[in-house]
Amino acid sequence: MNVEDIKVIGNIGAGTMGHATALQFAMNGYAVKLVDSSQEALERGTALIEHDLDTFIQAGLVQETERQAILDRIRSGTDYAALSDADFVIESVLEDMGVKREVWAKVESVVSEQAVLATNTSGLSPSAIATVLKRPQRFLVAHFWNPAQLMPLVEVVPSKETDKAAVDLTVELINGIGKHAVALSTESLGFVGNRIQAAVIRECMNIVNRGIATPEAVDEIVKYSLGRRWSVLGPIASADLGGLDIFDGLSKYMYADLDNNAGEDPTLKAKVAEGHLGAKTGQGFYSWQGADSQALIQERDRSLLKALVDDQKNGGAQER
Ligand SMILES: NC(=O)c1ccc[n+]([C@@H]2O[C@H](COP(=O)([O-])OP(=O)(O)OC[C@H]3O[C@@H](n4cnc5c(N)ncnc54)[C@H](O)[C@@H]3O)[C@@H](O)[C@H]2O)c1
């Protein structure tokens, strides 16, 4: 199958991630079959789709005249039979191996043999999910980043049995809807982005616990140095520019002093035990209760949206 043969997208799950992927495909001309096991979730997801679409219209990313046609491309329901004519299926249901396997066995029983199948798991092994499939060669991970309507990256991760053609097709499709797909060579726990994020968070906790700096100071330091630089050039290219002899020197005297805890993070465990989960409970390292914290979240979304507008001016995220 070529990317031009893909006309219908099956989109399972209408929650935080699923509503955003459905909208992204519909905005790019695809017919979308949006399936969720809960009618209520479909209604919530549809409201989120309309909200995000209106934000894109206000930002000038989508024309108002296209609004209704985009919404009309999304057909929602609770019956998996609707997926029978899907050429590509993206799944964003609960992060649970049992649920994922059950969903994929059901999907494979209704879709064609050619359909390419993608899970948006945050880190479960695609090889482990694919054990329930008769044709695992066309199954892989397409890991969107949250908020998926605003973040460009999608990690495309093969299982041990995925055909290269399925990886290439998925990369082409995802780039074609204005996202930035990056294929991994092989599956790994946490893929790539979450591995790097975990290493950074572990050291941030270490710095705070050793009294080297406050959480506020850590965030400020990253925002105004590494964050800025890495949004232009990644850490490996940045090391090249800094000089690998410098980084080699840093490794010699510093690596042994960095945290290398291999178990659950004790600081995060304690926060969770206190019920301080962050924005969702109103308290984490910061308080997320006042109007200021809501303004901060809105500011983050405005910045991400502005970056998307800039991407589009520069010819799309896939070409950067
Ligand atoms: N939220 C994130 O930050 C994020 C980021 C990247 C990937 N993911 C992954 O995306 C997936 C979905 O996460 P989310 O945050 O959107 O979850 P969510 O809870 O917001 O949405 C999940 C949806 O799946 C539906 N669902 C559950 N079982 C189903 C079934 N058997 N058939 C059809 N629909 C079913 C639920 O009704 C719900 O609407 C997970 O695998 C998660 O790890 C999440």
Side-chain angles (χ1 to χ4, degrees), residues 93-210:
V93 307
L94 206 64
E95 185 77 345
D96 176 279
M97 182 59 75
V99 174
K100 299 267 193 215
R101 283 180 170 157
E102 196 182 305
V103 164
W104 280 111
K106 242 164 46 180
V107 173
E108 199 180 40
S109 71
V110 295
V111 295
S112 73
E113 288 206 344
Q114 289 71 42
V116 172
L117 312 178
T119 175
N120 187 11
T121 175
S122 298
L124 296 174
S125 156
S127 298
I129 300 174
T131 53
V132 296
L133 297 179
K134 293 190 184 77
R135 297 196 66 252
Q137 308 89 318
R138 37 72 176 269
F139 179 78
L140 42 66
V141 173
H143 179 227
F144 287 73
W145 279 63
N146 185 32
Q149 67 277 18
L150 298 175
M151 295 289 280
L153 181 69
V154 180
E155 289 169 289
V156 177
V157 188
S159 80
K160 291 187 180 74
E161 296 187 76
T162 310
D163 280 345
K164 185 170 180 308
V167 173
D168 293 345
L169 184 76
T170 303
V171 166
E172 205 179 344
L173 176 71
I174 300 283
N175 283 338
I177 61 167
K179 294 289 176 193
H180 188 110
V182 180
L184 273 57
S185 310
T186 185
E187 66 181 280
S188 69
L189 272 181
F191 313 133
V192 170
N194 277 325
R195 290 180 81 89
I196 295 171
Q197 177 164 255
V200 170
I201 289 282
R202 181 171 64 180
E203 188 51 34
C204 290
M205 297 296 108
N206 184 35
I207 289 167
V208 171
N209 288 338
R210 284 170 56 178

Side-chain angles (χ1 to χ4, degrees), residues 53-64 305 309 312:
L53 182 54
D54 289 337
T55 308
F56 286 146
I57 291 170
Q58 280 154 24
L61 285 164
V62 175
Q63 298 301 311
E64 170 74 45
L305 194 58
V309 174
Q312 202 172 67

